[in-house]
Amino acid sequence: MSKVNVEELKRSSNGLRGNIVDEMTNGVPNVTDETYQLLKFHGMYQQDDRDLRRDLKQKGELPAYSFMLRSRIPGGVITREQYLAHDDIADRFGNGTLRLTTREAFQVHGVLKGDVKPVIQAINHALLSTISACGDVNRNVVVTPDPADNPVNRELQALAIRIANHLTPKSRAYHEIWLDEEPQSGELEEPIYGKTYLPRKFKIGITRTGDNSIDILTHDIGIVAITNGDTITDYQLYAGGGLGKTHNNEDTFPRLADPVGRVSPDLVLKAVEAMVMVQRDHGNRENRKLSRLKYVLHNKGVDWFRSQTEKTGGFLFRNAVTLPPWQFRSWFGWTPQGNGLFTLGLFVENGRIHDSGDFRLKTALKTIATTLSCSFRITATQDLQIRDVTPAQQKVVEVILADHGIRLPDTIAPLRLQSMACPALPTCGLAISEAERVFPDIITELEGIAKQVGLESLPVVTRMTGCPNGCARPYTAELAFVGRSGTKYEIHAGGSPGGDRLTTVIHPGLDQSLFKPFFTELFTRFADNRQAGESFGDWVVRQGEW
């Protein structure tokens, strides 16, 4: 489908309705390109099993179509009942696994077309939704997963919910199509988005000064709380972050957000709305590769963007201030919440909750959710927190995990703990290389090399994606693998441990078969030339040109 057609499709979709009802009930396993685009706004992607694609084509059969549905969960916070609902959905309608995402949400893969409506209704019954989890709108709002139960963190979570609700499309199409609401006469006006919504997807993150556990500078809008004790005095807003690029197209690039200015807490929602509307009116609608807000900031500058936002919103920013250095926190292990309860941060390798042999994470988490009055939180590193655990229940949780073959984070090497990959093959239609399926073995190989040169205890933020779109945020990692073609990867390095510096390319296309000699030499050089306390990313930058 052409890029211009996407804009026309949105304009003529009758509030995101299009032909969805007819196509979802026509008895064939897939939908047209037009409906594929509109379904994104309803929180899903049509996919097919690419492992089977060639054989099925040779047999003259259709691809093995299915749908991936994504729940919208502001801040990633869910009750145990909501967790169990997703666990049940994955078993009844999906492929038996749950996928945690970098936007603190659930994905359920492998849903057949005829089961999409029951899945959405089950998610809605759990008091959650899939609306605007995908599409050219604001997507799930992510929040620092800091476990502390204090007024600041409670307000940040509440702000995420307010923003998510405020920026949800007002069309009743979702409720009519999936939840059997009576159709309304006339087309409802979208007060923020208009008929063509945004030029492209839009991402918002919320944190507090110093806490970069969500890669705040990679968002279209970053909201940073400035505090005095337990009181938020200001929010400093950033704009223009984004990581997607296209290979061999220098007009596309990853970019970190710029500080725009400060607003008082009572103005933050107005400021966010105005920033979204500036992107609506000035984002590139002719070329979707250049349509993110980062290109508006790159082309017009932060001063122009600040002025335009002030005009649109009818308020004035105060000057941005220098904030404390960013620190990346994973919140692994047990952390006191400050209210007598505890949070256990679990490492979930590449975000996949599943059972395989003696490793039975899915069953363990279901047992915990069924047994204890706890809650959960999905983090922006595709990990999971078990929250609100009493001191007496801590041992119970540990025993359940151990009985199901699940290791606690303090028994896992730092290199693996800081690793993250996107799903890629076989379901993602954009993937050109493997990621999630091969990354655990690659990490094992890197761990062996690190141990060989005496670096086994050193944490290195390491990430892998199957294409250059950057879903697993490779361009802020200390070391990253970006799919180039087949088994070849563009190797990136030099991001900071705090997540506030972009990588540089240190190899344009390294085949996986050559990883061991390449990284043996690289890690040996690092071990031999590292300064005291120097991180891998900082060492890469100190080497200069690669």
Side-chain angles (χ1 to χ4, degrees):
M1 171 174 284
S2 73
K3 303 168 186 64
V4 174
N5 279 344
V6 173
E7 290 300 307
E8 180 55 36
L9 175 65
K10 290 185 286 186
R11 188 187 311 278
S12 61
S13 69
N14 187 24
L16 304 177
R17 292 172 178 84
N19 295 320
I20 290 176
V21 171
D22 290 341
E23 291 199 29
M24 294 302 288
T25 56
N26 63 7
V28 299
N30 62 309
V31 297
T32 63
D33 287 344
E34 290 79 9
T35 294
Y36 169 89
Q37 294 290 340
L38 290 180
L39 284 175
K40 293 180 184 179
F41 292 83
H42 297 256
M44 72 196 79
Y45 282 84
Q46 176 178 273
Q47 301 179 328
D48 74 284
D49 189 333
R50 293 174 61 183
D51 287 345
L52 305 177
R53 187 184 288 178
R54 180 177 297 177
D55 287 345
L56 290 173
K57 185 176 182 180
Q58 289 176 347
K59 294 176 182 177
E61 298 178 14
L62 289 172
Y65 288 111
S66 65
F67 289 77
M68 178 276 288
L69 278 81
R70 182 182 296 157
S71 293
R72 190 186 67 168
I73 308 170
V77 176
I78 52 173
T79 66
R80 69 189 186 106
E81 291 83 6
Q82 290 168 334
Y83 180 88
L84 289 170
H86 282 84
D87 179 89
D88 178 64
I89 288 167
D91 286 342
R92 285 200 293 145
F93 301 111
N95 65 3
T97 75
L98 285 170
R99 187 56 157 79
L100 310 179
T101 80
T102 57
R103 298 217 62 73
E104 300 180 342
F106 277 127
Q107 288 182 176
V108 179
H109 290 261
V111 178
L112 298 179
K113 192 172 83 168
D115 290 330
V116 167
K117 187 169 182 176
V119 168
I120 290 179
Q121 291 182 338
I123 291 172
N124 181 75
H125 185 72
L127 304 181
L128 291 172
S129 175
T130 66
I131 189 170
S132 71
C134 318
D136 297 345
V137 288
N138 175 61
R139 299 193 178 184
N140 201 44
V141 181
V142 304
V143 183
T144 168
D146 180 353
D149 181 22
N150 58 46
V152 171
N153 286 339
R154 288 195 293 271
E155 175 54 30
L156 297 187
Q157 176 62 21
L159 177 60
I161 294 171
R162 289 200 301 273
I163 291 173
N165 291 338
H166 190 64
L167 297 180
T168 298
K170 300 303 181 276
S171 167
R172 302 303 296 177
Y174 182 89
H175 305 80
E176 294 170 12
I177 294 169
W178 311 112
L179 305 179
D180 297 326
E181 180 179 278
E182 283 295 321
Q184 297 182 356
S185 59
E187 185 176 339
L188 186 67
E189 182 70 23
E190 291 283 2
I192 297 174
Y193 293 126
K195 282 194 173 184
T196 53
Y197 296 85
L198 296 180
R200 202 68 190 273
K201 60 187 175 183
F202 201 88
K203 299 180 178 181
I204 297 175
I206 304 174
T207 190
R208 62 191 301 170
T209 56
D211 178 357
N212 201 18
S213 53
I214 63 170
D215 277 330
I216 188 68
L217 301 180
T218 66
H219 292 77
D220 292 276
I221 297 177
I223 303 171
V224 182
I226 300 173
T227 61
N228 181 6
D230 285 338
T231 301
I232 298 174
T233 58
D234 292 296
Y235 286 103
Q236 182 148 300
L237 271 58
Y238 292 73
L243 296 184
K245 70 167 190 171
T246 301
H247 286 315
N248 303 319
N249 184 344
E250 294 185 358
D251 290 334
T252 67
F253 44 82
R255 186 181 191 277
L256 297 182
D258 295 312
V260 177
R262 288 176 296 141
V263 295
S264 57
D266 62 304
L267 287 177
V268 66
L269 190 60
K270 176 181 282 191
V272 168
E273 178 187 289
M275 294 166 91
V276 170
M277 294 173 80
V278 172
Q279 163 65 351
R280 178 198 67 191
D281 295 340
H282 297 278
N284 189 329
R285 293 183 183 268
E286 299 299 318
N287 186 345
R288 286 178 68 83
K289 293 183 186 298
L290 304 176
S291 59
R292 294 288 299 276
L293 180 62
K294 64 181 177 180
Y295 297 111
V296 175
L297 269 291
H298 175 75
N299 293 327
K300 295 181 178 294
V302 68
D303 291 339
W304 176 92
F305 182 78
R306 182 188 303 110
S307 174
Q308 201 68 31
T309 300
E310 291 173 337
K311 291 177 184 177
T312 301
F315 70 95
L316 294 176
F317 283 108
R318 284 175 286 127
N319 289 338
V321 295
T322 301
L323 299 181
W326 294 109
Q327 291 185 328
F328 175 75
R329 294 286 303 273
S330 297
W331 307 105
F332 286 131
W334 287 109
T335 302
Q337 297 175 187
N339 58 358
L341 303 176
F342 289 82
T343 288
L344 176 61
L346 275 183
F347 172 66
V348 180
E349 190 154 38
N350 301 320
R352 184 70 64 178
I353 296 176
H354 69 291
D355 288 348
S356 178
D358 293 334
F359 178 89
R360 294 179 293 149
L361 178 60
K362 187 169 180 295
T363 300
L365 292 173
K366 180 178 181 179
T367 302
I368 290 170
T370 304
T371 305
L372 306 180
S373 296
C374 59
S375 64
F376 296 86
R377 187 169 204 161
I378 304 166
T379 77
T381 51
Q382 304 179 155
D383 297 309
L384 189 69
Q385 294 179 349
I386 305 172
R387 295 158 53 88
D388 302 321
V389 179
T390 68
Q393 293 171 335
Q394 287 181 271
K395 188 63 177 178
V396 175
V397 170
E398 292 182 358
V399 169
I400 292 173
L401 292 172
D403 287 347
H404 291 80
I406 311 305
R407 297 163 60 191
L408 293 179
D410 60 3
T411 68
I412 300 172
L415 187 64
R416 190 173 300 272
L417 282 178
Q418 303 297 337
S419 68
M420 179 167 68
C422 71
L425 297 170
T427 53
C428 179
L430 299 177
I432 51 182
S433 301
E434 293 277 3
E436 179 185 328
R437 294 196 295 190
V438 302
F439 204 35
D441 289 340
I442 290 171
I443 290 295
T444 297
E445 188 168 63
L446 293 178
E447 286 175 334
I449 296 170
K451 184 175 182 179
Q452 179 182 325
V453 299
L455 297 173
E456 64 268 29
S457 63
L458 184 70
V460 178
V461 178
T462 308
R463 296 169 181 169
M464 172 177 269
T465 58
C467 79
N469 286 336
C471 292
R473 303 195 299 273
Y475 308 119
T476 55
E478 293 183 87
L479 176 63
F481 304 75
V482 177
R484 186 79 198 189
S485 65
T487 56
K488 289 187 176 180
Y489 293 82
E490 193 174 77
I491 308 300
H492 288 248
S496 71
D500 58 354
R501 183 175 63 222
L502 293 175
T503 59
T504 188
V505 177
I506 64 171
H507 197 292
L510 184 66
D511 192 85
Q512 190 176 338
S513 63
L514 300 176
F515 281 3
K516 187 171 184 177
F518 180 85
F519 287 107
T520 297
E521 179 185 355
L522 182 65
F523 281 18
T524 300
R525 285 176 56 194
F526 173 48
D528 291 344
N529 298 289
R530 179 191 182 204
Q531 295 178 351
E534 188 174 33
S535 70
F536 178 74
D538 289 346
W539 173 80
V540 169
V541 171
R542 188 165 60 84
Q543 304 314 295
E545 294 293 326
W546 285 80

